[in-house]
């Protein structure tokens, strides 16, 4: 079905119905180099941001947690030692396959004894209502075509008392730093992508998609509109990255 609705794809506006496929092609293309590129692009800092994010989530044994857009498993691997029952979901099977291989290398079983891996579109989850204690999404939501639908689904699948956590790039408000970061990200990251992953365009998309993402207050308002209460934003590096959270009550 063709509609006149558009969606951002990096700095481009494209027909909304094309975004999912184009984002899919990006992540299928980078899946095998995704982890090494994350280290290169963030000079290892994504590891610290993810550690902090998981400290905020505070997964507990006996909880059920959905790690949405979980990709190659970085967030799930950090939560697994808690003993929580974790489902890693992503729309892209190539990303999940890399995650399943990484889990096997770490001795983490595929299934109820370890991690569950489930291909899902964040906008249209196949899970029933009110089954998860926590929903996490790290560096995933900006790739989704309809962010409001993904937030509504997050709210639907959480139990009452359940918590929502999102780690995402935003805009740093530190004077001077934003100019340096802008120059670095627009010029150097695509070159790094070319050198390491042989793919300049995908990394240009990743940077441009960060620029198009709503500001911290705008995104917090979207989380509230989805029904979450007691929403909070924790900026990291002046807001270069932010942890958003909210409760379903
Ligand atoms: N959470 C992982 C991490 O922090 O390393 C992976 C983040 S990666 C930048 C973004 C992920 O979002 C990709 O694996 C991509 O396939 C996934 N994604 C994009 N659109 C999605 C959608 N509509 N539903 C579920 N996952 C999606």
């Amino acid at each position: 079905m063709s509609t006149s609705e558009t969606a951002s794809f990096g700095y481009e506006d494209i027909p909304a119905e094309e975004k999912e496929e184009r984002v899919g092609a990006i992540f299928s293309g980078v899946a095998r180099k995704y982890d090494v590129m994350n280290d290169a692009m963030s000079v290892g800092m994504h590891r610290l941001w993810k550690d902090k994010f998981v400290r905020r989530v505070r997964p507990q044994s006996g909880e059920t947690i959905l790690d949405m857009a979980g990709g190659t498993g970085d967030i799930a691997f950090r939560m697994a030692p808690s003993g929580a029952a974790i489902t890693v979901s992503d729309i892209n099977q190539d990303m999940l396959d890399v995650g399943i291989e990484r889990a096997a290398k770490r001795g983490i079983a595929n299934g109820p004894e370890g991690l569950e891996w489930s291909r899902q579109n964040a906008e249209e989850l196949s899970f029933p209502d009110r089954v998860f204690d926590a929903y996490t999404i790290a560096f995933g939501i900006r790739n989704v075509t309809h962010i409001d639908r993904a937030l509504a689904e997050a709210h639907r699948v959480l139990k009452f008392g359940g918590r929502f956590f999102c780690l995402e790039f935003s805009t740093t408000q530190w004077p001077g730093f934003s100019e340096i970061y802008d120059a670095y990200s627009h010029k150097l990251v695509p070159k790094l992508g070319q050198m390491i992953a042989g793919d300049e365009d995908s990394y240009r998309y990743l940077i441009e998609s960060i620029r198009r993402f709503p500001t911290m207050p705008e995104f917090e308002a979207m989380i509230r509109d989805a029904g979450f209460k007691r929403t909070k934003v924790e900026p990291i590096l002046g807001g270069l990255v932010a942890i958003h959270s909210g409760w379903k009550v």
Side-chain angles (χ1 to χ4, degrees):
M1 188 183 67
S2 165
T3 68
S4 56
E5 191 199 357
T6 61
S8 66
F9 182 79
Y11 287 155
E12 273 180 77
D13 287 311
I14 61 170
E17 66 269 22
E18 287 178 16
K19 176 158 172 163
E20 198 176 294
E21 198 181 327
R22 290 187 65 179
V23 169
I26 297 260
F27 285 105
S28 289
V30 303
R32 301 252 145 223
K33 293 281 182 183
Y34 176 76
D35 297 303
V36 69
M37 262 307 285
N38 265 350
D39 274 331
M41 283 190 319
S42 71
V43 283
M45 278 190 302
H46 75 107
R47 292 169 183 259
L48 305 177
W49 303 333
K50 288 171 177 168
D51 289 346
K52 184 171 194 158
F53 179 68
V54 169
R55 282 201 299 276
R56 295 296 178 266
V57 178
R58 288 219 288 150
Q60 312 276 326
S61 175
E63 287 188 333
T64 52
I65 302 182
L66 176 61
D67 181 38
M68 197 60 230
T72 61
D74 265 9
I75 300 299
F77 297 151
R78 283 168 170 78
M79 298 198 290
S82 69
I86 298 158
T87 301
V88 189
S89 285
D90 198 286
I91 200 169
N92 192 306
Q93 193 61 46
D94 294 316
M95 291 291 278
L96 290 175
D97 286 345
V98 173
I100 292 166
E101 282 171 28
R102 288 177 82 205
K105 283 189 193 136
R106 287 161 187 247
I108 301 174
N110 180 352
E113 295 306 310
L115 294 171
E116 300 273 7
W117 301 82
S118 165
R119 189 172 184 192
Q120 299 275 337
N121 182 349
E123 292 185 26
E124 225 178 339
L125 301 176
S126 68
F127 305 110
D129 297 354
R130 298 185 298 278
V131 279
F132 294 104
D133 296 288
Y135 174 109
T136 56
I137 183 162
F139 303 121
I141 205 147
R142 72 175 193 280
N143 299 295
V144 166
T145 309
H146 303 96
I147 294 174
D148 54 343
R149 290 186 199 165
L151 292 173
E153 280 293 83
H155 193 268
R156 181 182 68 77
V157 299
L158 277 170
K159 297 176 185 170
F160 289 110
R163 50 207 199 281
F164 167 86
F165 286 92
C166 174
L167 178 67
E168 191 49 90
F169 285 103
S170 192
T171 311
T172 180
Q173 286 157 354
W174 283 352
F177 184 50
S178 60
E179 288 77 13
I180 296 166
Y181 174 71
D182 242 37
Y184 161 76
S185 58
H186 280 94
K187 295 215 169 71
L188 260 166
V189 168
K191 297 286 170 228
L192 272 176
Q194 182 56 40
M195 269 163 50
I196 298 174
D199 184 347
E200 186 166 338
D201 290 345
S202 295
Y203 286 91
R204 182 166 298 113
Y205 157 77
L206 290 175
I207 292 301
E208 291 177 359
S209 65
I210 293 170
R211 283 290 156 276
R212 294 287 299 266
F213 193 68
T215 62
M216 288 183 281
E218 283 165 354
F219 186 47
E220 186 178 8
M222 292 174 79
I223 295 170
R224 277 200 305 269
D225 286 348
F228 290 102
K229 307 289 181 209
R230 286 158 52 200
T231 58
K232 200 169 133 191
V233 193
E234 185 179 355
I236 301 173
L237 296 178
L240 177 72
V241 176
I243 298 174
H244 288 265
S245 56
W247 292 77
K248 174 169 173 177
V249 291

